[in-house]
Amino acid sequence: MILTEIYRNVDDIPDIESYHIETAMVKSDDLLKSIQRVTTDHGNDYGIRLEDENQVLESGSAFKIGEKRLLVISVIPDEMILVKPKNIDEMGVIAHLLGNLHKPVQVKDGTISLLLDKVVVNTLDKRHADYEIKQIKLDEPLKYADLTNGK
């Protein structure tokens, strides 16, 4: 079965307990793919081919696979580096370094998050930057800087 349209996010379905749910575990990078094949916890294979370019997969994306049956996408936790710069100057320096390494990041609440990478860890250690490594389940994929001005 090829699934072409996200029904809703599982968190936004009011009568979710009335559905039979199959779950497909994907890597956070897979959230960027509009075409892919997934295998559910029930052992069923499904193809996903999003026809609407405005739809984007996220953790919790639900597809209808039958009457009162859903396929829900769940993200496998990633090993992440969480950098907490001490001040705006350090934020600028670290952001510049990560940009030069061409790493996709997420910046939220003064913390820079990115996938674990030995080169980044060595770079942060040399700068004596404050960071920690944790397993995190991303709701959306990390993104590279968009230099196209939205065009």
Side-chain angles (χ1 to χ4, degrees):
M1 175 184 284
I2 305 285
L3 307 169
T4 59
E5 183 179 346
I6 298 170
Y7 170 55
R8 312 171 86 156
N9 188 291
V10 70
D11 295 333
D12 299 329
I13 301 173
D15 58 342
I16 192 66
E17 65 280 344
S18 68
Y19 286 87
H20 173 79
I21 296 176
E22 294 187 41
T23 303
M25 301 295 291
V26 300
K27 297 184 293 184
S28 61
D29 291 356
D30 292 334
L31 296 175
L32 294 170
K33 299 176 183 176
S34 59
I35 299 174
Q36 61 185 295
R37 181 187 259 343
V38 297
T39 302
T40 71
D41 57 343
H42 290 52
N44 296 318
D45 289 327
Y46 294 96
I48 295 173
R49 184 178 63 230
L50 297 178
E51 292 179 347
D52 182 348
E53 62 186 40
N54 293 320
Q55 285 195 321
V56 178
L57 286 175
E58 58 186 20
S59 190
S61 290
F63 295 87
K64 283 194 169 188
I65 55 174
E67 187 64 32
K68 292 294 186 177
R69 293 182 58 224
L70 296 174
L71 164 67
V72 176
I73 301 297
S74 185
V75 177
I76 298 167
D78 288 302
E79 198 160 19
M80 306 283 296
I81 302 170
L82 305 176
V83 186
K84 298 187 183 216
K86 296 173 190 76
N87 55 48
I88 192 68
D89 292 337
E90 187 177 45
M91 173 68 93
V93 170
I94 291 171
H96 179 78
L97 290 170
L98 296 175
N100 282 341
L101 294 172
H102 302 284
K103 299 296 177 188
V105 300
Q106 180 181 78
V107 180
K108 187 174 180 181
D109 300 326
T111 299
I112 303 170
S113 305
L114 67 155
L115 292 173
L116 181 63
D117 180 294
K118 289 182 182 180
V119 173
V120 172
V121 168
N122 288 338
T123 302
L124 294 172
D125 285 343
K126 286 179 184 175
R127 305 247 0 129
H128 306 288
D130 185 22
Y131 70 91
E132 62 180 321
I133 298 172
K134 289 175 73 173
Q135 290 280 336
I136 296 180
K137 182 177 172 179
L138 296 172
D139 291 330
E140 58 186 43
L142 296 173
K143 295 182 178 138
Y144 290 93
D146 180 6
L147 303 176
T148 64
N149 245 354
K151 297 179 184 178

